[in-house]
Amino acid sequence: MVRDFQSVIGRETRVQVTKKEGRLPDTIVACVGGGSNALGIFYPFIEDHVELIGVEAGGEGIDTGKHSATLCAGEAGVLHGTLSYLLQDGDGQILPTHSISAGLDYPGVGPEHAMLRDEKRVTYTAMNDPDVLAAFRFLSKKEGIIPALESAHAVAWVMKNADRFDRDDIVIVNLSGRGDKDVAEVAAIQEKR
Protein backbone atom coordinates (compact mmCIF):
# COMPACT_ATOMS: atom_id res chain seq x y z
CA MET A 1 0.00 0.00 0.00
CA VAL A 2 2.76 2.46 0.95
CA ARG A 3 4.66 1.54 -2.23
CA ASP A 4 1.60 2.43 -4.28
CA PHE A 5 1.23 5.80 -2.52
CA GLN A 6 4.95 6.51 -2.93
CA SER A 7 4.87 5.45 -6.60
CA VAL A 8 3.17 8.75 -7.40
CA ILE A 9 6.71 10.18 -7.20
CA GLY A 10 8.05 7.51 -9.56
CA ARG A 11 5.26 8.00 -12.08
CA GLU A 12 5.74 11.76 -12.05
CA THR A 13 9.50 11.27 -12.41
CA ARG A 14 8.91 9.06 -15.44
CA VAL A 15 6.65 11.67 -17.09
CA GLN A 16 9.01 14.57 -16.37
CA VAL A 17 12.25 12.89 -17.45
CA THR A 18 10.67 11.57 -20.65
CA LYS A 19 9.27 15.01 -21.47
CA LYS A 20 12.52 16.87 -20.70
CA GLU A 21 15.09 14.36 -21.96
CA GLY A 22 13.09 12.33 -24.48
CA ARG A 23 14.11 9.05 -22.84
CA LEU A 24 14.20 7.13 -19.59
CA PRO A 25 17.03 7.61 -17.09
CA ASP A 26 20.08 5.35 -17.07
CA THR A 27 20.17 4.99 -13.29
CA ILE A 28 17.91 5.72 -10.33
CA VAL A 29 19.39 5.82 -6.83
CA ALA A 30 17.41 5.83 -3.57
CA CYS A 31 18.09 5.17 0.09
CA VAL A 32 16.62 2.04 1.64
CA GLY A 33 15.58 1.55 5.26
CA GLY A 34 12.20 -0.12 5.45
CA GLY A 35 12.09 0.61 1.74
CA SER A 36 8.88 2.42 0.80
CA ASN A 37 10.48 5.55 -0.68
CA ALA A 38 12.83 3.51 -2.85
CA LEU A 39 10.04 1.25 -4.06
CA GLY A 40 8.00 4.32 -4.90
CA ILE A 41 10.61 5.68 -7.28
CA PHE A 42 11.70 2.24 -8.58
CA TYR A 43 8.30 0.70 -9.20
CA PRO A 44 7.34 2.55 -12.42
CA PHE A 45 10.75 1.54 -13.89
CA ILE A 46 10.93 -2.12 -12.80
CA GLU A 47 10.08 -3.46 -16.28
CA ASP A 48 12.43 -1.05 -18.06
CA HIS A 49 16.13 -1.21 -18.83
CA VAL A 50 16.96 1.26 -16.05
CA GLU A 51 19.63 0.52 -13.44
CA LEU A 52 18.16 0.68 -9.93
CA ILE A 53 20.45 1.22 -6.93
CA GLY A 54 19.26 0.96 -3.32
CA VAL A 55 21.61 2.45 -0.72
CA GLU A 56 21.46 1.21 2.84
CA ALA A 57 22.99 2.64 6.02
CA GLY A 58 26.54 1.35 6.28
CA GLY A 59 26.95 3.19 9.59
CA GLU A 60 30.47 2.73 10.94
CA GLY A 61 31.13 -0.03 8.41
CA ILE A 62 29.53 -3.38 7.73
CA ASP A 63 32.54 -5.19 9.19
CA THR A 64 32.04 -3.37 12.54
CA GLY A 65 28.50 -4.66 13.05
CA LYS A 66 27.40 -1.04 13.63
CA HIS A 67 25.20 -0.55 10.59
CA SER A 68 21.68 -1.08 9.26
CA ALA A 69 22.60 -2.72 5.96
CA THR A 70 20.00 -5.48 6.00
CA LEU A 71 20.16 -6.42 2.31
CA CYS A 72 23.95 -6.25 2.21
CA ALA A 73 24.66 -8.18 5.41
CA GLY A 74 21.41 -9.71 6.65
CA GLU A 75 19.94 -13.19 6.42
CA ALA A 76 16.45 -14.47 5.75
CA GLY A 77 14.18 -14.39 8.77
CA VAL A 78 10.75 -13.37 10.04
CA LEU A 79 10.02 -10.00 11.65
CA HIS A 80 6.54 -8.60 12.25
CA GLY A 81 5.11 -11.65 10.48
CA THR A 82 7.03 -11.08 7.26
CA LEU A 83 9.77 -13.20 5.70
CA SER A 84 12.55 -10.92 4.50
CA TYR A 85 16.19 -10.15 5.19
CA LEU A 86 17.05 -9.23 8.78
CA LEU A 87 20.00 -8.36 10.93
CA GLN A 88 19.87 -11.24 13.42
CA ASP A 89 22.08 -13.52 15.42
CA GLY A 90 22.40 -17.29 15.06
CA ASP A 91 19.29 -17.79 17.21
CA GLY A 92 17.18 -15.46 15.08
CA GLN A 93 17.23 -12.66 17.66
CA ILE A 94 17.29 -9.16 16.20
CA LEU A 95 20.66 -7.42 16.41
CA PRO A 96 21.11 -3.78 17.39
CA THR A 97 21.44 -1.45 14.43
CA HIS A 98 23.22 1.82 13.81
CA SER A 99 22.74 4.62 11.34
CA ILE A 100 23.48 8.31 11.39
CA SER A 101 19.91 8.59 10.10
CA ALA A 102 16.99 7.61 12.31
CA GLY A 103 14.90 6.80 9.25
CA LEU A 104 17.29 4.06 8.10
CA ASP A 105 18.04 2.62 11.55
CA TYR A 106 15.97 -0.55 11.23
CA PRO A 107 16.95 -4.27 11.34
CA GLY A 108 14.71 -5.40 8.47
CA VAL A 109 13.41 -4.42 5.07
CA GLY A 110 10.16 -4.86 3.18
CA PRO A 111 9.81 -8.24 1.46
CA GLU A 112 9.54 -6.72 -2.02
CA HIS A 113 13.10 -5.45 -1.68
CA ALA A 114 14.18 -8.95 -0.67
CA MET A 115 12.59 -10.31 -3.84
CA LEU A 116 14.19 -7.61 -6.03
CA ARG A 117 17.56 -8.40 -4.45
CA ASP A 118 17.18 -12.13 -5.03
CA GLU A 119 16.09 -11.54 -8.62
CA LYS A 120 19.08 -9.19 -9.06
CA ARG A 121 16.76 -6.49 -10.44
CA VAL A 122 18.00 -3.93 -7.93
CA THR A 123 21.59 -3.57 -6.77
CA TYR A 124 21.83 -2.92 -3.05
CA THR A 125 24.85 -1.31 -1.47
CA ALA A 126 25.68 0.71 1.64
CA MET A 127 27.34 4.03 2.44
CA ASN A 128 29.14 4.80 5.69
CA ASP A 129 28.42 7.75 7.99
CA PRO A 130 31.41 9.96 7.01
CA ASP A 131 30.49 9.77 3.31
CA VAL A 132 26.86 10.55 4.14
CA LEU A 133 27.85 13.63 6.15
CA ALA A 134 30.08 14.80 3.30
CA ALA A 135 27.18 14.38 0.85
CA PHE A 136 24.82 16.23 3.19
CA ARG A 137 27.23 19.17 3.36
CA PHE A 138 28.04 19.09 -0.37
CA LEU A 139 24.44 19.21 -1.59
CA SER A 140 23.55 21.85 0.99
CA LYS A 141 26.42 24.12 -0.05
CA LYS A 142 26.46 23.52 -3.81
CA GLU A 143 22.74 23.43 -4.55
CA GLY A 144 21.13 24.98 -1.48
CA ILE A 145 19.17 21.76 -1.02
CA ILE A 146 19.38 20.33 2.49
CA PRO A 147 18.74 16.61 2.02
CA ALA A 148 17.45 14.38 4.77
CA LEU A 149 20.26 12.24 6.18
CA GLU A 150 18.37 9.28 4.72
CA SER A 151 18.53 10.75 1.21
CA ALA A 152 22.15 11.81 1.72
CA HIS A 153 23.02 8.09 1.55
CA ALA A 154 21.91 8.06 -2.10
CA VAL A 155 23.75 11.32 -2.80
CA ALA A 156 26.89 9.86 -1.20
CA TRP A 157 26.70 6.78 -3.44
CA VAL A 158 26.47 8.93 -6.58
CA MET A 159 29.37 11.10 -5.44
CA LYS A 160 31.51 8.04 -4.66
CA ASN A 161 30.66 6.45 -8.02
CA ALA A 162 30.62 9.56 -10.22
CA ASP A 163 33.43 8.25 -12.44
CA ARG A 164 31.30 5.35 -13.65
CA PHE A 165 28.91 7.72 -15.41
CA ASP A 166 29.34 9.51 -18.73
CA ARG A 167 28.44 13.16 -19.19
CA ASP A 168 25.27 12.24 -21.12
CA ASP A 169 24.01 9.68 -18.59
CA ILE A 170 20.80 10.56 -16.79
CA VAL A 171 21.06 9.74 -13.10
CA ILE A 172 18.11 10.41 -10.81
CA VAL A 173 18.68 10.63 -7.06
CA ASN A 174 15.52 10.30 -5.02
CA LEU A 175 15.54 12.99 -2.34
CA SER A 176 12.88 11.45 -0.19
CA GLY A 177 12.91 13.96 2.63
CA ARG A 178 13.90 17.40 3.84
CA GLY A 179 17.02 17.81 5.91
CA ASP A 180 15.92 20.70 8.10
CA LYS A 181 14.99 18.05 10.69
CA ASP A 182 18.62 16.82 10.64
CA VAL A 183 20.55 20.10 10.81
CA ALA A 184 20.91 20.08 14.63
CA GLU A 185 22.03 16.43 14.55
CA VAL A 186 24.65 17.12 11.88
CA ALA A 187 25.91 20.17 13.81
CA ALA A 188 26.22 18.09 16.99
CA ILE A 189 28.14 15.37 15.15
CA GLN A 190 30.50 17.90 13.60
CA GLU A 191 31.22 19.44 17.03
CA LYS A 192 32.31 16.01 18.31
CA ARG A 193 34.77 15.47 15.43
Side-chain angles (χ1 to χ4, degrees):
M1 180 172 75
V2 177
R3 177 208 62 210
D4 288 347
F5 290 145
Q6 288 292 109
S7 70
V8 169
I9 295 166
R11 290 193 308 271
E12 185 63 25
T13 299
R14 186 182 182 96
V15 168
Q16 287 183 19
V17 74
T18 303
K19 183 177 180 181
K20 181 164 178 32
E21 300 295 335
R23 67 183 181 94
L24 294 177
D26 298 287
T27 305
I28 299 175
V29 185
C31 65
V32 177
S36 61
N37 90 84
L39 281 176
I41 191 106
F42 292 166
Y43 202 65
F45 299 93
I46 291 286
E47 301 299 323
D48 300 307
H49 187 68
V50 173
E51 179 183 36
L52 305 175
I53 306 287
V55 185
E56 294 187 293
E60 295 178 18
I62 292 178
D63 57 333
T64 69
K66 295 179 180 179
H67 62 83
S68 297
T70 305
L71 291 160
C72 294
E75 297 177 9
V78 176
L79 180 64
H80 305 306
T82 302
L83 175 63
S84 190
Y85 286 92
L86 308 174
L87 297 176
Q88 58 188 327
D89 66 18
D91 296 319
Q93 298 300 307
I94 301 304
L95 293 172
T97 58
H98 166 77
S99 173
I100 196 167
S101 164
L104 301 184
D105 196 2
Y106 185 67
V109 67
E112 195 163 9
H113 279 292
M115 177 193 73
L116 292 168
R117 174 191 180 262
D118 289 349
E119 291 178 350
K120 297 181 177 14
R121 176 58 189 99
V122 178
T123 301
Y124 294 94
T125 186
M127 292 304 299
N128 296 350
D129 292 347
D131 294 322
V132 172
L133 285 171
F136 180 92
R137 288 189 300 268
F138 177 83
L139 193 60
S140 298
K141 287 179 182 177
K142 289 288 186 181
E143 297 295 333
I145 298 170
I146 304 171
L149 281 171
E150 293 87 352
S151 300
H153 284 73
V155 175
W157 185 88
V158 171
M159 290 172 61
K160 193 76 129 182
N161 292 279
D163 60 344
R164 74 191 286 268
F165 299 108
D166 294 327
R167 183 171 182 76
D168 295 329
D169 286 347
I170 300 172
V171 179
I172 293 175
V173 178
N174 189 35
L175 297 182
S176 57
R178 299 181 350 240
D180 55 324
K181 67 176 179 51
D182 296 320
V183 170
E185 177 72 17
V186 169
I189 291 167
Q190 287 180 296
E191 280 182 26
K192 292 178 187 175
R193 293 182 177 202

